[in-house]
């Protein structure tokens, strides 16, 4: 069993990934930590509590960061055109959800849970990296106690999705992402190189909903707005960004990768760009030297990933 803390900003694709984690038989979901990004921290936390209630998830929810690790960064408008005004596809999520929060802030929850389970916890982070960076800042030793970190974010050999060079999660808090990438723990980066070519059609999801229970039907309902948004890029479907990171935890053989030190550009016109220095490549001395080698996924068996997601969602 993989003990997983899911760091998330629900978010439509976050919701699919959450149901995957909840239902996969090899995953023990031991915590959900929220972060701002697809919506405000109040909205993403409410959405996590809503999905916890609707899907009968036992894992506790801890509320996380509401601003970037460098508070002088200015926040733009929330991407309501992607995820809807309520963050979950405009399905009229209730204003309040009567489910208790864990009393600890997310970074404390991460620290204490990792310390209670040394060498066993995988952090799956599919939003901004702020909570993970705050945990490292508070307790740097946890880097040696975490089993692995799997993130959805970044882009290396393909364009970005919020600027020509940057992906949304990394661009939302580049300083935090650079802290996470350069820490002495094992990071696997699942970025646009693989997620942008892994799409689920409206019909495929609809078929799963027709065969599945009310949890999958809710997922299908909340995904429709998101699928409509993707009409510019996908033929009547959606990119399943966050679920790809979750699939890696249980089926890394479905991905190909390179390894090397990773840095994140902080500031300027390339703000949020992720750059890997591949192992074995030699350059003059620079800012990638002496840093841990991380795993960057560059290839994916997309249909096998989609089928694994579909099969898992149907496990009631």
């Amino acid at each position: 069993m993989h003990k997983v803390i899911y760091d998330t900003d629900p978010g439509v694709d976050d919701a699919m990934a959450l149901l995957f984690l909840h239902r996969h038989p090899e995953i023990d979901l031991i915590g959900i930590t929220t972060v701002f990004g697809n919506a405000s921290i109040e909205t993403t936390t409410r959405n996590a509590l809503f999905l916890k209630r609707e899907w009968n998830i036992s894992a506790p929810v801890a509320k996380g960061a509401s601003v970037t690790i460098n508070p002088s960064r200015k926040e733009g408008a929330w991407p309501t055109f992607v995820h809807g005004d309520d963050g979950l596809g405009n399905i009229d999520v209730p204003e309040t959800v009567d489910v208790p929060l864990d009393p600890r802030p997310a970074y404390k929850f991460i620290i204490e849970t990792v310390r209670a389970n040394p060498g066993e916890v995988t952090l799956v982070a599919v939003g901004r990296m702020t909570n993970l960076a705050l945990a490292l800042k508070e307790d740097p030793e946890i880097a040696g106690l975490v089993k692995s970190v799997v993130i959805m974010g970044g882009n290396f050999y393909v364009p970005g999705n919020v600027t020509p060079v940057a992906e949304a999660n990394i661009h939302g808090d580049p300083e935090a992402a650079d802290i996470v990438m350069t820490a002495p723990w094992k990071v696997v980066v699942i970025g646009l190189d693989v997620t942008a070519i892994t799409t689920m059609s409206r019909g495929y999801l609809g078929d799963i909903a027709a065969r599945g229970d009310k949890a999958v039907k809710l997922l299908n309902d909340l995904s429709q707005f998101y699928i409509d948004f993707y009409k510019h890029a996908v033929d009547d479907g959606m990119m399943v960004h966050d679920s790809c990171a979750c699939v890696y935890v249980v089926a890394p053989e479905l991905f190909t990768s390179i390894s090397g030190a990773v840095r994140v550009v902080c500031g300027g016109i390339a703000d949020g760009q992720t750059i890997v220095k591949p192992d074995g490549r030699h350059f003059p001395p620079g800012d990638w030297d002496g840093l841990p080698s991380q795993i960057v996924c560059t290839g994916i068996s997309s249909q096998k990933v989609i089928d694994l997601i579909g099969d898992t969602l149907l496990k009631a």
Side-chain angles (χ1 to χ4, degrees), residues 112-135:
E112 292 179 10
T113 305
V114 167
R115 285 199 167 274
N117 302 272
E120 297 183 13
V121 176
T122 296
L123 303 177
V124 177
V126 299
R128 303 180 188 197
M129 304 294 130
T130 317
N131 291 332
L132 275 61
L134 288 170

Side-chain angles (χ1 to χ4, degrees), residues 20-38:
F20 177 91
L21 292 171
H22 176 51
R23 292 201 158 171
H24 197 282
E26 295 173 23
I27 288 175
D28 179 12
L29 183 60
I30 60 173
I32 302 165
T33 52
T34 62
V35 69
F36 73 115
N38 288 329

